[in-house]
């Protein structure tokens, strides 16, 4: 879990991309943060308000990030997702992410993290 201090520290780092989804009334629906280094990036966190879930917010954020990174010359986007998080796994699979590794017992609850990658050379910017 990311706390306020960790998020604030990330915002000050080089290569950090942040996208925010808002309503017409400027109410936040969700956000994501990623960090790019050279031609690779990692999606660090993605969150959507519970009442906005299953409405395409996360999908739009991931697509927006992929296009933005691809336009900036990033070739691959990585992330880790809990193996038991079926909703997130479906989201990333639909976005074109492919499994490329696993981190055993990565999370505090003992769940494994699946490492996924998206080839951004296939993304239209």
């Amino acid at each position: 879990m990311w706390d306020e201090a960790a998020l604030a520290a990330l915002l000050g780092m080089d290569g950090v991309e942040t996208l925010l989804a808002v309503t017409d009334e400027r109410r936040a629906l969700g956000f994501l943060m990623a960090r790019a280094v050279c031609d690779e990036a990692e999606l660090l966190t993605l969150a959507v308000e519970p009442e906005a879930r299953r409405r395409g917010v996360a999908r739009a954020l991931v697509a927006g990030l992929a296009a933005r990174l691809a336009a900036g010359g990033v070739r691959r986007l990585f992330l880790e997702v809990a193996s038991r998080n079926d909703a997130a796994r479906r989201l990333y699979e639909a976005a074109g992410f492919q499994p490329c590794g696993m981190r055993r017992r990565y999370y505090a609850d003992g769940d494994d993290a699946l490492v996924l990658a998206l080839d951004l050379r296939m993304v239209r910017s």
Side-chain angles (χ1 to χ4, degrees):
M1 193 63 135
W2 296 86
D3 63 18
E4 185 177 340
L7 291 173
L10 275 174
L11 286 170
M13 297 175 85
D14 288 339
V16 172
E17 297 279 345
T18 304
L19 288 153
L20 180 65
V22 296
T23 66
D24 291 338
E25 297 80 30
R26 296 187 178 247
R27 189 174 69 79
L29 297 176
F31 77 99
L32 62 69
M33 294 178 80
R35 183 159 189 224
V37 177
C38 298
D39 66 347
E40 293 185 342
E42 180 181 10
L43 197 165
L44 300 169
T45 191
L46 168 64
V48 175
E49 288 288 342
E51 68 273 7
R53 292 181 184 158
R54 304 196 52 81
R55 295 185 181 179
V57 174
R59 182 181 41 217
L61 286 167
V62 171
L65 175 68
R68 191 168 173 175
L69 291 171
V74 175
R75 297 167 54 108
R76 291 206 326 163
L77 173 60
F78 294 90
L79 62 85
E80 285 124 3
V81 62
S83 66
R84 291 181 272 201
N85 188 340
D86 293 331
R89 290 178 59 192
R90 283 191 302 273
L91 166 72
Y92 298 130
E93 181 180 306
F97 283 85
Q98 298 293 317
C100 64
M102 181 180 295
R103 301 185 197 285
R104 301 263 181 222
R105 295 176 297 284
Y106 182 77
Y107 294 103
D109 67 358
D111 197 5
D112 297 334
L114 301 177
V115 181
L116 306 179
L118 177 63
D119 184 346
L120 296 175
R121 294 170 294 182
M122 309 306 282
V123 172
R124 292 186 185 162
S125 51

